[in-house]
Amino acid sequence: MYAQLVKTDGKGVKPLDEMTPEERVFQQRIDDDQKIEPKDWMPDGYRKNLIRQISQHAHSELVGQLPESNWITRAPTLERKAILLAKVQDEAGHGLYLYCAAETLGISRDQMFDQLHSGKSKYSSIFNYPTLTWADMGAVGWLVDGAAIMNQVPLQRTSYGPYARAMVRICKEESFHQRQGFHIMMKMANGTAAQKRMAQDALNRFWYPSLMMFGPSDKDSVHSAQSMAWKIKINTNDELRQKFVDQTVPQAEYLGLTVPDKDLRWNDETGSYVFTEPDWDEFYAVLAGNGPCNKERLQARVDAWNDGDWFREGLLANAAKRRAKQGEAA
Ligand code: FAQ
């Protein structure tokens, strides 16, 4: 159904009758909901677009560990510490599945890290905001993982097999992450007056950055039309943002917290909430590297890479030794 919209050069729409025979067969496979696998023929644009999206997703998982790992040593109880530790480790695992999925498209892990460290490749804007209080751990789990799941559940049906399969396990784990965040919010919102204030403050600060996670509004989305034609994306940014608002507002009400949007209202006709859009100037400023924590986050990743240099060298030296020994034995 999307065949008429397909752009293969990333610049213009390529009508069906201008496609090469290979492109037509490929599009038909997508339209028939067949999975594309690493050794299958695929248009260059499909490969590039997938590498872009999957690697940015992988980077988000890695950078996404930073705001939460900041709180592991300060978690209020041993149980909370163990849960947070497990969650942060899960995010590292998600990064690894995603890097592996991207590698099947012909890019190396080193190249992807280089793109992250040089600023060529993005990671999710949300992780450029600070986590100031323990309630922020609740807000991150509830809202940030909640938004991540909203986006990632449909991605289990994405057209590229390795990406779709990685998403299955990731979604299961994200679901636990969302619940542990909501549980923290429940405790805080039903705690002392000071704890409730902290919970409200966390919601105030994380609400709009969470809405931004879904990307620019559809009219400004560069990749949506192409990505949806290829089923790299299943929904538009605005569709998912709306679903997230519709799901989350009643949860905030249940917590006794107020969504920081004075114009928020239910629309009986559409059966959904009318809400205020995020400040898109702020969104683009964060994307351009000018968010509250951009420099700190990227520096932490670059430092981790540089600090691990001796370890990578050791592994390579050991591998070379083993190969040499095997050569001698042969
Ligand atoms: N932040 O044309 P579109 C997580 C960029 S989940 C930064 O609409 P697209 C779990 C976009 O890349 C978070 N950049 O783009 C976790 C493009 O720039 P480019 C990660 C953004 O790709 C939870 C430009 O704007 N999830 O980490 C953002 O069709 C808790 C134009 O935008 C995923 O990556 C943004 N928010 O739609 C971990 C899910 N939005 O590449 C730890 C998979 C847009 O041309 C703790 N990705 N941009 O330079 C997607 O679904 C899509 O890539 C979107 C963006 C929806 C993110």
Side-chain angles (χ1 to χ4, degrees):
M1 98 186 193
Y2 285 112
Q4 296 297 332
L5 287 172
V6 169
K7 303 171 188 179
T8 51
D9 58 3
K11 292 180 191 119
V13 174
K14 193 171 200 177
L16 199 55
D17 58 5
E18 284 179 24
M19 285 185 195
T20 64
E22 277 169 319
E23 286 168 349
R24 277 186 196 218
V25 171
F26 179 81
Q27 188 61 45
Q28 195 56 55
R29 291 190 60 196
I30 300 272
D31 291 346
D32 290 345
D33 280 335
Q34 288 180 28
K35 290 280 178 261
I36 307 300
E37 297 298 338
K39 288 187 177 153
D40 294 349
W41 184 88
M42 60 187 83
D44 249 12
Y46 179 84
R47 186 185 298 278
K48 279 191 193 141
N49 201 1
L50 266 177
I51 289 176
R52 179 193 67 82
Q53 180 168 314
I54 302 174
S55 63
Q56 292 190 6
H57 192 166
H59 299 329
S60 304
E61 302 282 356
L62 284 207
V63 179
Q65 294 179 104
L66 298 171
E68 287 176 294
S69 59
N70 177 39
W71 278 91
I72 291 172
T73 53
R74 291 178 287 161
T77 66
L78 183 60
E79 191 188 16
R80 290 287 182 203
K81 193 193 286 281
I83 294 170
L84 189 58
L85 195 57
K87 178 188 190 301
V88 171
Q89 283 178 338
D90 283 353
E91 308 301 357
H94 298 175
L96 293 182
Y97 315 148
L98 289 162
Y99 284 123
C100 287
E103 279 173 324
T104 64
L105 290 155
I107 185 166
S108 73
R109 191 91 50 114
D110 283 2
Q111 283 172 307
M112 286 186 272
F113 281 134
D114 194 46
Q115 290 178 354
L116 171 67
H117 299 156
S118 66
K120 192 174 167 226
S121 181
K122 296 184 171 73
Y123 58 85
S124 183
S125 51
I126 188 74
F127 302 118
N128 292 308
Y129 290 84
T131 44
L132 304 176
T133 71
W134 174 252
D136 289 7
M137 294 304 94
V140 169
W142 173 36
L143 300 173
V144 176
D145 286 279
I149 298 170
M150 191 56 80
N151 172 288
Q152 290 169 184
V153 165
L155 287 181
Q156 294 176 104
R157 289 182 286 119
T158 192
S159 59
Y160 189 57
Y163 191 24
R165 290 189 286 273
M167 276 306 137
V168 174
R169 176 154 175 192
I170 291 179
C171 284
K172 287 200 171 88
E173 292 177 349
E174 297 290 22
S175 168
F176 147 70
H177 297 170
Q178 197 268 352
R179 280 173 216 189
Q180 67 84 38
F182 192 72
H183 194 249
I184 293 175
M185 290 308 267
M186 280 207 301
K187 283 276 176 202
M188 302 289 286
N190 294 301
T192 63
Q195 285 173 320
K196 186 164 184 184
R197 269 198 308 278
M198 277 166 75
Q200 181 62 55
D201 173 60
L203 170 57
N204 293 349
R205 284 181 289 106
F206 275 92
W207 177 251
Y208 286 106
S210 299
L211 297 189
M212 291 176 193
M213 285 177 71
F214 297 97
S217 73
D218 289 353
K219 63 178 177 6
D220 298 317
S221 171
V222 182
H223 302 288
S224 282
Q226 177 65 91
S227 292
M228 290 179 71
W230 278 330
K231 295 187 185 163
I232 290 172
K233 270 167 89 165
I234 309 296
N235 301 91
T236 73
N237 301 353
D238 286 338
E239 279 168 8
L240 292 175
R241 194 171 3 254
Q242 182 71 56
K243 279 180 86 168
F244 175 75
V245 172
D246 292 345
Q247 176 184 284
T248 311
V249 171
Q251 295 172 353
E253 283 168 2
Y254 179 79
L255 291 170
L257 300 177
T258 309
V259 172
D261 178 354
K262 62 181 172 32
D263 296 323
L264 183 75
R265 64 184 163 82
W266 178 254
N267 182 336
D268 254 343
E269 272 171 35
T270 57
S272 57
Y273 285 93
V274 178
F275 62 96
T276 306
E277 297 243 331
D279 175 348
W280 293 118
D281 289 341
E282 178 183 322
F283 171 75
Y284 285 112
V286 174
L287 260 56
N290 300 318
C293 299
N294 290 60
K295 289 180 185 65
E296 182 188 329
R297 300 290 190 236
L298 200 54
Q299 195 58 50
R301 290 309 317 164
V302 171
D303 289 348
W305 178 258
N306 291 339
D307 290 349
D309 198 34
W310 66 273
F311 188 68
R312 288 190 301 278
E313 264 180 29
L315 287 178
L316 288 174
N318 189 34
K321 248 196 224 166
R322 203 175 289 163
R323 271 198 307 275
K325 261 194 196 158
Q326 278 164 355
E328 278 167 23

